[in-house]
Amino acid sequence: MISAADRVGNKPTEMNSAVALSVAVRDAVALGEERIVLTLRFSALPRARRLGTQADLLRASWEPLNSTARVRSFKLPGGDLVALGLPHAAADLEYHHQVLFSMLEEEEASRAVQILRLPAQAAAVLDIVHDSLGFTTALGAMGLQASEGGQPDGAAIAAAERAMAGVDISTFVRRQRVMWLKPGGANTRLMWEDLRVKLAEICERLMQSADLALPKAFAERLIGAIDARQISNLARPQELRDMRPIALPLRVESIFSPAFLKLDALIPPSQRQKLLIAFSAGDVLADGGQFILARSFLQARGYPLILEASGPLAAAVLPSLRAGFSYLRLVWSDDFPAIVSGADALMRDTLANPAEHVLLAGADTPAAIAWGWEAGIRMFQGRLIESQRAVS
Amino acid sequence: MRPAPGRAALRVTPGENPGQRRIIFSLLREVAQVKGGSILELSPDEWLLTEAPMPDAEALVALIGRQLSKDHVRLLVLPGSKKILADLLVSNPAPKILELPAAGAVSPVGLEFKLAQINPDAVFSRRSYVAFNRADGPALRLQRLALNEASLRQQLGSYAQEPSLLRHAKSELQKGLIEALGGERGRATLLGGSPAAPLLVDMPPALLPISPEHEHEKEQEAHEAASTIALYATLALDAAIGIDNLATRREGLKRDAWGIAISGMSAEALSLVNIQALPAYWVILEWSAALEQKTSLKLLGQLDPSRVILDGCDQKAALLFGLSLGISCYGGPWIEDLVAAARMKSCPEAARCTRAECRARGFATTSSGRIGCQAPHLLAAVLQEAAP
């Protein structure tokens, strides 16, 4: 069995040792008993002293303290050594203090080698334990960034939702074509249309004060309401009569909504393959069980699925083909060439997905399309694509 | 009712998931509307489609069987099953016609007020992850300040019915926890003393510490200084995959003694993800019986057991399962029982308390939650070093 200790910096024995030391210190304090503490803190020494022969010599002169009955020696994570003895071991500890002191420069020694007394100096000893566990460093780095402005309260959200009921959602829907585009431009054809609500514009219109950042969960709630409206629009007779292939980004929850189930009952079975349902990777992994239920329903009914990955990490963590998606939709970012050394390597190693199943959205520049082509991608969506004409 | 040959009735147990129930219902209704038959509710967890042509009924069985499982749906071929059907209808003389259960929306008005009233002790607990490397009992490996979802649901009342409101509440409470942890007094209150082991802290991605670029000369030294990791930013799986530079940030965080842990890995999620692609130090895997199924086992084979925490262990079977895979770190109610028992064994005041009291005080994240403990230093340390 591979124990975690073999690979991890914090060895459990040293960790336990840190716990044992803090228990011993607190015990002494609780009972008001006197204890003498000797410390050798490698972490307070310059680098040269911490490594190699010099450190070995220091450890060797500590060694006798590990084997006397009157003293308990603790090796803390990070290598610091602490010895704790009863008052009658004071002379012994003092002797070792002198020895260690003589081996170091005075300035170094006064920081690293110390005699402390319990219960009076308990706080100093506990600080050493704290330091050895890295808490001082970690807590210092803790990002208590000033909160990013105000956010709307529940009442403002509820008001926005009420306002949305009276808004014609179709004015906020952006339709973009997804084209099959090969280098050289042969066989350019329309795959489907992407129907997407411009959330930012809706928020701007609905929220009373525009400088408020919409918390993620509230945004999801708004999107859920928008989903229902989008779905109901599709269920209108004129839309159903003349159905063209479209991709609709939905929340997984929306599949279980009455609106979607009503639409499902109205779409003729032969037309279902024209409705491509897109889920975001984050939404899929927020509740894997719920996604699996939705997937088995959608697959049985014949709707193709698109996975929308916010970036390469999402695409790599959630392999789209294995998870049952027909297509993977990546959104182009100018960082792409920098994040991955070669576009084809991203496809091969990270995405493990045949490039012909990948759609690159946000293809607004020739650079994006060039990168996509290099990666083997043939499906594109974006401003540049809107100006392309399908051959047939 | 026309129990004609070539037709069949369908008996379905739709399960508890409301979304699932809606799907099953609309599948049944679709056939009923076109091909005849009615949908009856025999009981809240049993539905009956009175009749349908055989091919449609069989297609439904396949479809529903795939959605639920084969034992949730039964085909009653007519006229052979006429008697069973008649009995069902007799024993349920007035079946009500089923309506599609609607999804009600919960208003977010007043949520902030509710959140402000929640006492951290009611929703956070100080949990222990232990290793079983030695024969003589559990050794404390990690601690976690975890948000208890069941308690949060209870506190939130009707707001919790809406997943997005529940998520918002979680992220707000986690923000508050980080703020409290940043202050010395808040930290001591939350942990009952100083941290006894590296601490996992649940947080939304926005609160992940930003490590400034270290100056070049210091880099070597700083890198070395953080040979230990004190705090693990514990991110939910779905949130973590949204941080595209997570792998790069992990290196910077490491210099500041921070690590990354990923929570929310269920048997279902495991079947979807490529776990090696996650730049995390720890992956918290939720124990469930489904983990033991073959598909999951195959996926588990790809895991590095030294990076896995098996959480939610509620019985010995969970531990045995984990040990068989080489996992060395465990948490969950059954583990907390062991921890409380081991602590009481070394506690001189143990005679005054019950196991349940000691366990509850170990979980506490406020001073009032620990009242009654006569050995607070032992409680703070969670577990003493095992006897040599």
Side-chain angles (χ1 to χ4, degrees):
Chain A
M1 186 177 102
I2 309 162
S3 106
D6 299 337
R7 310 211 188 157
V8 176
N10 304 337
K11 300 213 169 45
T13 50
E14 291 171 5
M15 203 58 70
N16 279 347
S17 181
V19 174
L21 176 58
S22 43
V23 171
V25 170
R26 284 162 206 274
D27 264 341
V29 175
L31 302 170
E33 286 176 350
E34 205 182 321
R35 293 282 187 279
I36 316 294
V37 180
L38 174 64
T39 67
L40 171 54
R41 300 181 62 195
F42 287 95
S43 53
L45 287 174
R47 189 176 151 79
R49 300 274 195 205
R50 270 184 274 154
L51 305 167
T53 335
Q54 299 221 30
D56 289 343
L57 285 172
L58 288 166
R59 269 187 224 107
S61 53
W62 184 274
E63 194 51 42
L65 290 170
N66 290 333
S67 45
T68 48
R70 290 181 294 178
V71 171
R72 254 179 102 187
S73 170
F74 299 88
K75 186 178 181 214
L76 300 179
D80 289 1
L81 297 168
V82 176
L84 189 124
L86 293 168
H88 68 265
D92 202 2
L93 289 168
E94 192 57 48
Y95 166 75
H96 279 90
H97 181 227
Q98 296 294 343
V99 172
L100 291 166
F101 221 91
S102 65
M103 294 170 75
L104 296 163
E105 301 283 332
E106 192 173 338
E107 199 195 329
E108 295 165 12
S110 56
R111 268 184 287 134
V113 186
Q114 277 182 300
I115 289 272
L116 297 164
R117 285 168 199 285
L118 296 182
Q121 289 172 295
V125 181
L126 289 177
D127 277 348
I128 292 174
V129 178
H130 219 78
D131 272 2
S132 78
L133 290 168
F135 280 102
T136 317
T137 317
L139 289 167
M142 195 142 77
L144 283 178
Q145 301 100 323
S147 54
E148 56 292 345
Q151 55 183 31
D153 60 6
I157 296 289
E161 284 172 354
R162 275 196 306 276
M164 203 182 73
V167 169
D168 176 11
I169 212 114
S170 61
T171 60
F172 296 101
V173 174
R174 189 194 62 191
R175 283 176 176 261
Q176 273 195 335
R177 293 184 293 174
V178 173
M179 302 283 267
W180 181 273
L181 191 65
K182 281 210 308 207
N187 280 330
T188 303
R189 62 182 191 273
L190 177 68
M191 300 299 289
W192 61 77
E193 263 191 318
D194 183 276
L195 255 63
R196 201 165 289 263
V197 170
K198 294 172 278 187
L199 185 65
E201 286 180 28
I202 293 195
C203 288
E204 204 174 301
R205 168 93 164 265
L206 298 181
M207 306 298 290
Q208 256 116 33
S209 75
D211 56 337
L212 295 178
L214 194 65
K216 185 169 171 285
F218 281 148
E220 285 170 1
R221 190 179 145 102
L222 214 49
I223 294 170
I226 293 168
D227 280 359
R229 297 276 295 277
Q230 284 254 68
I231 294 166
S232 305
N233 283 348
L234 285 178
R236 290 180 304 199
Q238 66 270 35
E239 291 281 341
L240 288 170
R241 213 167 29 236
D242 165 31
M243 234 183 112
R244 282 172 301 170
I246 51 166
L248 194 62
L250 292 179
R251 307 207 52 233
V252 174
E253 278 170 39
S254 298
I255 297 305
F256 304 96
S257 69
F260 184 82
L261 296 173
K262 187 176 159 216
L263 173 67
D264 172 64
L266 291 172
I267 298 183
S270 63
Q271 303 290 298
R272 287 183 195 138
Q273 48 156 342
K274 289 188 182 170
L275 179 58
L276 295 90
I277 310 278
F279 291 143
S280 81
D283 200 23
V284 166
L285 292 182
D287 189 343
Q290 200 71 355
F291 162 71
I292 289 170
L293 290 180
R295 179 185 67 184
S296 81
F297 172 64
L298 294 172
Q299 283 179 339
R301 303 294 269 181
Y303 301 99
L305 296 180
I306 304 175
L307 175 68
E308 303 201 338
S310 56
L313 177 65
V317 170
L318 184 58
S320 53
L321 276 187
R322 201 181 85 200
F325 291 91
S326 306
Y327 302 99
L328 169 66
R329 181 180 187 269
L330 285 176
V331 182
W332 165 258
S333 120
D334 290 332
D335 301 336
F336 269 23
I339 293 174
V340 281
S341 48
D344 53 334
L346 171 77
M347 288 300 145
R348 197 175 53 238
D349 306 330
T350 316
L351 305 182
N353 198 329
E356 55 267 35
H357 294 275
V358 180
L359 149 67
L360 190 63
D364 298 340
T365 59
I369 294 181
W371 184 91
W373 276 342
E374 195 196 324
I377 294 174
R378 298 292 177 262
M379 279 187 282
F380 296 91
Q381 177 194 339
R383 279 205 296 276
L384 211 57
I385 300 303
E386 290 302 290
S387 59
Q388 290 282 328
R389 266 174 213 284
V391 172
S392 51
Chain B
M1 197 169 82
R2 298 159 297 166
R7 297 180 82 84
L10 223 60
R11 218 173 146 175
V12 184
T13 321
E16 281 182 2
N17 183 316
Q20 178 84 284
R21 286 168 75 94
R22 281 202 289 275
I23 282 187
I24 303 299
F25 179 79
S26 60
L27 292 175
L28 293 172
R29 185 181 57 179
E30 185 182 48
V31 171
Q33 278 175 346
V34 183
K35 310 283 170 136
S38 339
I39 309 163
L40 304 176
E41 189 178 52
L42 301 177
S43 73
D45 48 0
E46 185 158 42
W47 296 346
L48 181 75
L49 175 64
T50 54
E51 58 168 324
M54 201 58 192
D56 295 273
E58 278 173 341
L60 266 180
V61 168
L63 204 54
I64 294 174
R66 195 181 138 149
Q67 199 66 31
L68 294 158
S69 71
K70 290 271 177 266
D71 52 343
H72 276 75
V73 52
R74 264 177 56 206
L75 191 68
L76 304 170
V77 183
L78 298 171
S81 302
K82 194 178 163 190
K83 187 170 177 327
I84 304 178
L85 209 55
D87 285 349
L88 273 177
L89 294 175
V90 167
S91 60
N92 296 275
K96 65 175 182 239
I97 305 299
L98 205 56
E99 284 303 321
L100 189 64
V106 182
S107 165
V109 175
L111 180 61
E112 318 55 41
F113 184 66
K114 188 91 192 177
L115 281 175
Q117 286 180 318
I118 293 179
N119 175 355
D121 208 24
V123 289
F124 286 106
S125 41
R126 185 189 72 154
R127 301 190 33 208
S128 308
Y129 292 128
V130 302
F132 289 93
N133 289 331
R134 305 181 188 193
D136 50 5
L140 184 67
R141 187 81 181 75
L142 297 160
Q143 284 181 292
R144 179 176 178 193
L145 283 173
L147 190 63
N148 183 335
E149 187 166 327
S151 316
L152 178 59
R153 280 177 182 277
Q154 203 181 357
Q155 293 282 321
L156 284 178
S158 61
Y159 292 116
Q161 287 163 17
E162 172 100 15
S164 60
L165 297 186
L166 185 64
R167 275 198 282 274
H168 178 69
K170 275 189 197 169
S171 115
E172 289 296 296
L173 288 165
Q174 284 168 351
K175 236 184 260 181
L177 177 77
I178 300 285
E179 272 160 28
L181 200 62
E184 204 158 313
R185 270 189 60 196
R187 188 159 63 245
T189 309
L190 283 167
L191 294 170
S194 31
L199 186 64
L200 296 143
V201 189
D202 291 48
M203 60 172 68
L207 292 184
L208 202 61
I210 296 163
S211 31
E213 288 302 313
H214 283 247
E215 296 150 49
H216 186 68
E217 55 193 290
K218 278 190 182 171
E219 205 161 285
Q220 193 82 331
E221 197 135 333
H223 188 86
E224 205 190 329
S227 62
T228 53
I229 289 175
L231 297 178
Y232 289 94
T234 306
L235 305 166
L237 175 62
D238 56 310
I241 61 161
I243 312 171
D244 256 308
N245 57 356
L246 194 59
T248 332
R249 281 178 79 176
R250 178 174 65 162
E251 295 311 311
L253 288 168
K254 211 167 136 190
R255 286 196 295 263
D256 290 329
W258 276 85
I260 292 165
I262 304 283
S263 68
M265 189 67 78
S266 60
E268 288 88 2
L270 191 67
S271 73
L272 298 171
V273 304
N274 169 19
I275 207 157
Q276 279 115 327
L278 276 174
Y281 202 106
W282 291 107
V283 173
I284 303 173
L285 184 62
E286 290 297 324
W287 154 259
S288 71
L291 272 183
E292 283 187 290
Q293 282 165 12
K294 217 172 163 189
T295 48
S296 289
L297 268 181
K298 204 178 100 196
L299 292 163
L300 282 166
Q302 303 166 13
L303 284 181
D304 176 354
S306 68
R307 292 202 316 164
V308 175
I309 300 169
L310 190 63
D311 203 356
C313 300
D314 54 1
Q315 48 181 307
K316 196 168 184 181
L319 181 61
L320 295 176
F321 167 78
L323 288 171
S324 74
L325 289 170
I327 296 172
S328 64
C329 206
Y330 298 87
W334 194 74
I335 301 296
E336 299 288 351
D337 269 345
L338 291 185
V339 167
R343 180 165 58 230
M344 288 181 82
K345 216 167 130 190
S346 60
C347 179
E349 309 284 343
R352 301 171 184 233
C353 313
T354 65
R355 167 96 60 92
E357 282 167 347
C358 191
R359 189 176 184 272
R361 289 172 193 146
F363 272 138
T365 52
T366 57
S367 323
S368 58
R370 298 182 196 100
I371 287 174
C373 179
Q374 302 294 319
H377 59 290
L378 270 182
L379 196 65
V382 183
L383 276 174
Q384 259 187 298
E385 192 184 16

